[in-house]
Amino acid sequence: MSNLSLPQNSSEVLLRPVAIPETELERYISFKHALNLRFPDEDTGDWHFQPYFFEQTDSLKTQKSIPLAGKEQPVDTTPSLGHQGVRDMSSILSQERLPIPSDQPVYVANHYRAIADLAMLDLQKSRVPSIADNAAINGWLDSQEQVAHLKRDYLERLAIQLSGEPLRIFKQWIQTVKFI
């Protein structure tokens, strides 16, 4: 992960941190943002921290926001996964000089839970997971054991939340998830 750096000359861009929203165990940071956070002993995930947690100060666009999953969010896998894979990462965010809600935990999905949330994003719309396809999964995870853990302990459990066309798509898609 990389910390905010100040420009060395006038042609460099200044960056500001994106505001970290208030979270709870049932409403947490997920998706690609969560894939770009890890504890020092973790070796899974994506490696694009700065574009997800910082934005240009001169940007005319609206401020970036960090997506949440869970209770009252567009994706909620708590009916099938409960709190599994959701952890407090306020210490990591603080180390990266991100402003966090004071004296509160910042709950973030681990990489397995973030992948499950990404898959559910498409499945609930009756689409084959495209962001969390097998190539992406194998880019985020490093071993056959990690992919097996994801499939067994996270992805297969999503089936209890699905019915009809989304369940049919899930049953076909889950067969494609494997270590390559």
Side-chain angles (χ1 to χ4, degrees), residues 20-46:
I20 303 297
E22 288 191 18
T23 62
E24 55 191 68
L25 270 173
E26 293 83 18
R27 206 176 100 257
Y28 52 91
I29 296 170
S30 190
F31 311 110
K32 286 195 173 182
H33 283 75
L35 285 168
N36 283 284
L37 289 173
R38 63 188 172 106
F39 284 114
D41 63 339
E42 294 177 324
D43 59 357
T44 61
D46 205 358

Side-chain angles (χ1 to χ4, degrees), residues 62-79:
T62 56
Q63 248 187 332
K64 285 184 184 180
S65 62
I66 295 180
L68 300 177
K71 180 176 66 176
E72 299 174 1
Q73 301 304 308
V75 171
D76 183 3
T77 55
T78 56

Side-chain angles (χ1 to χ4, degrees), residues 45-111:
D46 205 358
W47 316 115
H48 301 97
F49 178 80
Q50 194 168 9
Y52 286 95
F53 291 94
F54 290 90
E55 62 188 347
Q56 295 180 9
T57 58
D58 62 351
S59 176
L60 298 176
K61 299 181 222 171
T62 56
Q63 248 187 332
K64 285 184 184 180
S65 62
I66 295 180
L68 300 177
K71 180 176 66 176
E72 299 174 1
Q73 301 304 308
V75 171
D76 183 3
T77 55
T78 56
S80 55
L81 298 175
H83 299 146
Q84 180 180 341
V86 178
R87 68 269 177 89
D88 176 15
M89 295 195 77
S90 55
S91 63
I92 298 297
L93 293 166
S94 191
Q95 286 173 2
E96 293 296 332
R97 298 187 195 154
L98 292 171
I100 60 173
S102 62
D103 299 324
Q104 292 184 359
V106 179
Y107 291 105
V108 179
N110 69 12
H111 299 141

